[in-house]
Amino acid sequence: AAEACREIEGVEAVLLNCQSIEATSKAIPRLRQSLHPSIRVGAYANGMTVSAKDGDGSQKDATQNAPKIEDKYNPKLTDPEKYAEAVSDWITDGASIVGGCCGIFPEHIRALKTRHG
């Protein structure tokens, strides 16, 4: 995506949408480093727990064995303040457009506004 953005005239921003907080936290710094400084970076992560069918057909938590950046970003723990904390890290890593997707509600956005104005 970053390479395509370098080749397309007029790209103003690249945003990540509807992915886990962990994936967003890993992707933002890479995306920021890959793009021209004039292109804004942002994200609207989701706050839902990911689940999948186990080999026997039963539901399981797909995040159980997934590598975590830190437990504070586990989607199971995504209350508004935890989400605002994760978004603060994205801003530190270069994101300038932030919000939320599935499982992120008005109380999460209020927490972002309180923290970042």
Side-chain angles (χ1 to χ4, degrees):
E3 186 175 322
C5 289
R6 286 191 296 269
E7 296 174 7
I8 300 171
E9 188 175 324
V11 173
E12 294 182 15
V14 176
L15 280 73
L16 306 169
N17 185 52
C18 203
Q19 64 182 21
S20 73
I21 295 166
E22 292 93 342
T24 302
S25 295
K26 288 180 181 180
I28 289 288
R30 289 176 149 177
L31 190 58
R32 177 66 281 153
Q33 291 172 358
S34 300
L35 295 171
H36 188 277
S38 66
I39 299 175
R40 296 175 69 191
V41 171
Y44 300 135
N46 70 47
M48 301 186 316
T49 300
V50 178
S51 65
K53 297 265 184 199
D54 206 347
D56 63 2
S58 62
Q59 286 294 113
K60 70 171 186 169
D61 179 357
T63 63
Q64 182 177 2
N65 296 319
K68 301 274 189 284
I69 293 176
E70 292 184 33
D71 286 341
K72 68 181 180 180
Y73 297 138
N74 184 331
K76 289 182 182 178
L77 304 175
T78 307
D79 64 32
E81 288 305 316
K82 292 287 186 189
Y83 190 70
E85 187 176 339
V87 172
S88 292
D89 291 344
W90 305 342
I91 292 169
T92 298
D93 288 338
S96 61
I97 304 170
V98 295
C101 194
C102 305
I104 301 300
F105 300 102
E107 55 268 25
H108 294 86
I109 302 305
R110 273 192 293 279
L112 293 177
K113 186 173 184 340
T114 298
R115 191 179 277 235
H116 298 286

